[in-house]
Amino acid sequence: MKTIVLLDDLTINQIAAGEVIEGPASVVKELVENAIDANSTRIEIEVKNGGKTFIRVSDNGKGIDYDDIDIAFERHATSKIRSSQDLSKVLTMGFRGEALASIASISEVTLSSKKENSNQGYTYTVKGNKKGIIEECQCQNGTNIVVKDLFYNVPVRYKFLKNDNSEFQKIKKVVIRLSLANLNISFKLINEGKLVLKTSGNTKMQDAVYELFGKDIARNLIEVNFSYQNMEIKGVVGNSRIEMPYRKNEIFFVNNRSVENEILSNGVEQAFKGALKIGKFPFAILNLEISPQLIDMNIHPTKKEIKFQNEEDVFKIVYQAVKEALLKEEFLGKDETRNSEEIRQEYVQKQESYLPANYLLKRIQKSKEEKSLEIKPQIVNTKNKLDYKLIGVVFKTFIIIEINDELYFIDQHAAHERVLYEQVKDSYNSGKKPETQMLILPTVLPLKPAEIELIKDNIEIFEKVGFQIEDFGNNTIKISGVPSIAYNLDSTTIFQDTLKELTSFARTTKQEIENKFIATVACKAAVKAGMVLTQKEIDTLIQELWSLPNPYTCPHGRPTTIKYEKEELEKMKLRK
Ligand code: ADP
Ligand code: MG
């Protein structure tokens, strides 16, 4: 007996409906998205019984051609893509071509449509697998779709619907999100004959917030507009006067599609930390523009959930965008006479004031690009300073100086490492607050559970040298500050290098751990061989090195300098 059969169309469509249509709200979403794709400027949604018995979506869009009406209800019938190559560049909301077919397989759908340039409209009804005939009708330009008796032929699905009010709240949520994502379209939502919400479609976010959430929220908005590495984030957040009892009003879009995503809400909530009372949530409407190649929109059939390839970067941009917006607001205060450029300048200055005045390090990045510097021999002679004559730098690594009758070769990396080591050690032992460079963008680093444990055991050492880290849950560590001597380096690298060292000496005494830890931080932060330093940087380094009790070895015991006395050189000469 044959056991494998091909399923009939109705069954196939009902299976698809099971994936795409969860309930009335999904029907509304699909129909409104179709109306948006049809370039409508006005969309009206009317529902009854939470959408279970009646849903109407009317638009003033481009309408459907007589020849297309029947085929629009076929599975995989779409006017929006032509082949799989188009998939990566879809700009329309829908493209799978299964919404109408799915909805019609589980309800009664009547579609009426008229194209603007045609003087005749048509109407067509499909119920389950029963197709009606296309008839002429008197209708307005655009498309009107009525969906009746959802799940009438799938009792198991019907049974799982919630009460009318719950289903209506889901519809309202969908309509609010779609109107926020389409500020140029005027939306109207009618429930049981009553107008529930209406937007003007005048493209202004503040007006839409006023229309959808009321004037208290609309008056307390801060604009967000930020870009970072090919990503851009725009929208509004409520200021600290707006405290929400729930997370519901953290509304996110990615490339203008409504999404639910933990990384995005984490970013916003972290940025608001300290600004709101504990247990309260911010108000936020944010859209992230990101290359479609960096996300997977397809993990959820209704495209509500997405996955980012680089979650860390996404967290960073959201966090920083919101943080910057809040900071600007703090500067702005109530003084509306100040323009945004002034505020921006002040903001930039505040950011810069975080940076320590260690110009030796400030130079690192720049000097990488610079060509070798020509240094003329010169006598340095200032009060309280070491008198020396700078001969020059060889191999971009060894600084050569003359003091009295001695010639010194100084390894720039070893010397700088030694200087930094003493600085960190002094501040470590002084018990004073360590100098920390707060990161403009905090880093969230995934680690092994054992590493997290190790960090927790030694958190005090990390903090005393200037790291600001915290357990961020799910085996991640958040780094929001690094020792100020390391501000110019990649925070992830310095943290991981230090952690690696820590793993290798975890079994020794506390003091030994501390010493080695400080040495590692100093080593990572020091200028490397091959970096071109300016004359002023060289002088600072030499002065600082000579001010130490024993300048001649680095913390690892390697010599920082090699010394030749004049006599030694004379002997060499004689031998020759
Ligand atoms: P998809 O949106 O994925 O293309 P649908 O099943 O939702 O698939 O719709 C099928 C087709 O019907 C669309 O591609 C479009 O050409 C047409 N259509 C549906 N709704 C509308 C509408 N409101 N206005 C104009 N055309 C529409
Ligand atoms: Mg569609």
Side-chain angles (χ1 to χ4, degrees):
M1 197 183 78
K2 220 162 70 158
T3 51
I4 300 179
V5 293
L6 287 172
L7 296 172
D8 62 83
D9 276 357
L10 179 67
T11 313
I12 292 171
N13 286 335
Q14 288 183 348
I15 292 170
E19 287 173 6
V20 185
I21 309 298
E22 286 163 12
S26 336
V27 174
V28 169
K29 176 170 178 285
E30 293 292 338
L31 297 182
V32 173
E33 286 185 349
N34 281 346
I36 294 167
D37 285 345
N39 299 328
S40 311
T41 58
R42 270 198 330 271
I43 301 175
E44 190 172 298
I45 303 112
E46 182 181 359
V47 299
K48 287 175 186 159
N49 297 104
K52 292 178 209 171
T53 55
F54 181 90
I55 296 171
R56 173 178 64 85
V57 175
S58 311
D59 68 50
N60 66 345
K62 63 183 175 198
I64 308 178
D65 214 69
Y66 174 83
D67 299 327
D68 285 337
I69 290 183
D70 174 44
I71 193 104
F73 284 87
E74 293 295 324
R75 192 162 152 72
H76 302 307
T78 179
S79 55
K80 297 166 194 173
I81 57 170
R82 286 288 171 256
S83 72
S84 63
Q85 270 110 56
D86 295 343
L87 273 176
S88 58
K89 40 181 197 253
V90 205
L91 293 173
T92 49
M93 306 294 290
F95 60 83
R96 290 155 186 267
E98 51 189 15
L100 284 183
S102 301
I103 297 167
S105 75
I106 49 169
S107 66
E108 180 189 308
V109 179
T110 300
L111 179 152
S112 316
S113 192
K114 177 176 163 302
K115 288 183 82 81
E116 199 182 359
N117 52 12
S118 141
N119 40 29
Q120 186 59 59
Y122 300 95
T123 179
Y124 179 57
T125 299
V126 183
K127 182 171 184 177
N129 58 351
K130 283 201 290 293
K131 293 183 170 181
I133 45 163
I134 301 174
E135 287 174 281
E136 292 187 352
C137 75
Q138 288 298 319
C139 46
Q140 311 225 311
N141 288 344
T143 303
N144 183 76
I145 296 187
V146 174
V147 176
K148 285 186 189 157
D149 301 328
L150 188 64
F151 296 136
Y152 79 98
N153 54 355
V154 202
V156 261
R157 300 293 307 280
Y158 186 85
K159 246 180 33 202
F160 275 98
L161 294 178
K162 304 256 165 55
N163 65 40
D164 290 2
N165 182 50
S166 306
E167 293 297 339
F168 175 71
Q169 291 311 318
K170 289 192 220 166
I171 291 171
K172 193 173 157 193
K173 180 175 165 181
V174 162
V175 175
I176 286 178
R177 278 164 172 69
L178 286 166
S179 32
L180 289 170
N182 299 278
L183 295 171
N184 57 330
I185 300 177
S186 164
F187 285 85
K188 226 186 228 183
L189 174 62
I190 299 160
N191 184 31
E192 307 294 348
K194 283 202 208 82
L195 180 67
V196 177
L197 58 88
K198 184 175 184 293
T199 65
S200 64
N202 73 355
T203 74
K204 293 203 183 83
M205 176 60 94
Q206 199 178 359
D207 290 349
V209 172
Y210 184 101
E211 289 152 351
L212 297 169
F213 301 96
K215 70 164 187 283
D216 283 347
I217 293 184
R219 274 187 190 160
N220 287 291
L221 294 179
I222 309 172
E223 210 172 301
V224 175
N225 187 349
F226 193 84
S227 23
Y228 174 67
Q229 291 182 352
N230 296 332
M231 290 186 285
E232 191 181 72
I233 189 153
K234 278 188 184 164
V236 289
V237 291
N239 62 23
S240 54
R241 281 187 285 276
I242 300 298
E243 296 187 317
M244 294 283 151
Y246 36 64
R247 194 169 269 135
K248 200 171 81 180
N249 285 336
E250 292 174 14
I251 300 175
F252 299 107
F253 302 90
V254 170
N255 299 338
N256 235 25
R257 281 175 199 270
S258 167
V259 297
E260 319 251 317
N261 183 276
E262 252 197 345
I263 305 287
L264 300 174
S265 28
N266 276 349
V268 172
E269 285 171 24
Q270 285 294 325
F272 264 93
K273 244 190 185 158
L276 302 180
K277 285 194 210 81
I278 291 169
K280 298 288 183 187
F281 297 92
F283 178 90
I285 303 169
L286 295 171
N287 177 45
L288 174 71
E289 288 291 331
I290 182 172
S291 157
Q293 267 98 38
L294 298 177
I295 45 178
D296 185 2
M297 270 279 187
N298 264 326
I299 59 168
H300 196 275
T302 58
K303 312 170 207 104
K304 204 163 58 190
E305 282 165 24
I306 64 164
K307 189 152 171 47
F308 296 108
Q309 266 168 33
N310 196 343
E311 301 192 328
E312 200 182 308
D313 282 347
V314 172
F315 174 86
K316 280 181 184 175
I317 184 177
V318 178
Y319 174 86
Q320 183 57 17
V322 176
K323 196 96 198 168
E324 187 190 87
L326 289 172
L327 204 55
K328 272 191 207 160
E329 160 88 359
E330 187 192 309
F331 282 123
L332 183 65
K334 284 213 155 54
D335 185 0
E336 281 167 13
T337 56
R338 303 173 54 196
N339 66 30
S340 58
E341 186 46 38
E342 260 176 69
I343 295 150
R344 192 169 170 83
Q345 286 297 331
E346 204 174 320
Y347 168 75
V348 169
Q349 271 165 22
K350 183 158 173 177
Q351 290 280 348
E352 278 174 356
S353 70
Y354 288 141
L355 308 178
N358 186 339
Y359 55 80
L360 192 63
L361 268 163
K362 264 192 190 165
R363 292 271 315 156
I364 294 178
Q365 232 122 47
K366 255 197 269 161
S367 57
K368 279 185 196 157
E369 298 132 32
E370 270 169 33
K371 281 187 233 97
S372 183
L373 216 72
E374 199 192 306
I375 296 174
K376 296 188 191 83
Q378 68 162 125
I379 310 278
V380 178
N381 189 355
T382 348
K383 254 186 260 160
N384 290 330
K385 275 189 153 188
L386 171 76
D387 290 348
Y388 67 91
K389 181 174 161 189
L390 179 63
I391 308 297
V393 181
V394 288
F395 314 130
K396 293 188 208 154
T397 300
F398 300 104
I399 302 162
I400 307 174
I401 59 169
E402 178 190 331
I403 307 172
N404 300 328
D405 278 349
E406 292 163 346
L407 188 66
Y408 289 84
F409 284 75
I410 304 162
D411 176 326
Q412 66 182 41
H413 169 71
H416 193 209
E417 187 181 346
R418 177 65 207 282
V419 169
L420 293 179
Y421 173 78
E422 296 298 335
Q423 277 176 15
V424 179
K425 203 170 100 182
D426 274 359
S427 110
Y428 192 97
N429 293 332
S430 73
K432 273 189 280 180
K433 205 170 168 282
E435 283 197 39
T436 296
Q437 166 57 40
M438 294 311 289
L439 297 177
I440 293 175
L441 297 170
T443 304
V444 175
L445 204 62
L447 292 170
K448 298 195 194 92
E451 291 173 318
I452 306 256
E453 281 313 303
L454 189 65
I455 293 165
K456 282 189 183 161
D457 288 346
N458 293 285
I459 191 103
E460 195 200 357
I461 305 182
F462 276 101
E463 283 171 356
K464 274 175 86 177
V465 300
F467 280 107
Q468 272 201 11
I469 49 179
E470 64 189 271
D471 188 348
F472 204 56
N474 289 332
N475 290 326
T476 60
I477 288 284
K478 179 174 142 201
I479 310 170
S480 27
V482 293
S484 57
I485 56 160
Y487 84 93
N488 226 337
L489 306 173
D490 179 69
S491 59
T492 317
T493 315
I494 180 135
F495 182 79
Q496 274 175 325
D497 286 353
T498 328
L499 180 63
K500 209 161 105 200
E501 292 288 314
L502 188 64
T503 327
S504 69
F505 50 71
R507 279 171 211 279
T508 47
T509 64
K510 183 164 180 249
Q511 207 200 333
E512 225 174 306
I513 292 177
E514 286 173 347
N515 268 332
K516 288 191 176 161
F517 196 90
I518 295 168
T520 307
V521 173
C523 174
K524 299 302 168 192
V527 293
K528 304 285 178 291
M531 284 180 184
V532 181
L533 306 181
T534 65
Q535 214 153 309
K536 199 164 178 196
E537 287 163 348
I538 291 169
D539 183 45
T540 312
L541 180 57
I542 291 169
Q543 297 299 342
E544 285 181 344
L545 186 65
W546 251 263
S547 71
L548 302 177
N550 172 16
Y552 304 113
T553 59
C554 84
H556 293 104
R558 282 194 306 272
T560 56
T561 53
I562 306 169
K563 183 174 82 177
Y564 291 97
E565 296 191 4
K566 193 176 166 203
E567 280 172 31
E568 278 178 82
L569 293 169
E570 277 167 352
K571 279 184 208 147
M572 281 187 208
K573 207 172 153 192
L574 285 176
R575 255 185 261 124
K576 197 175 147 193

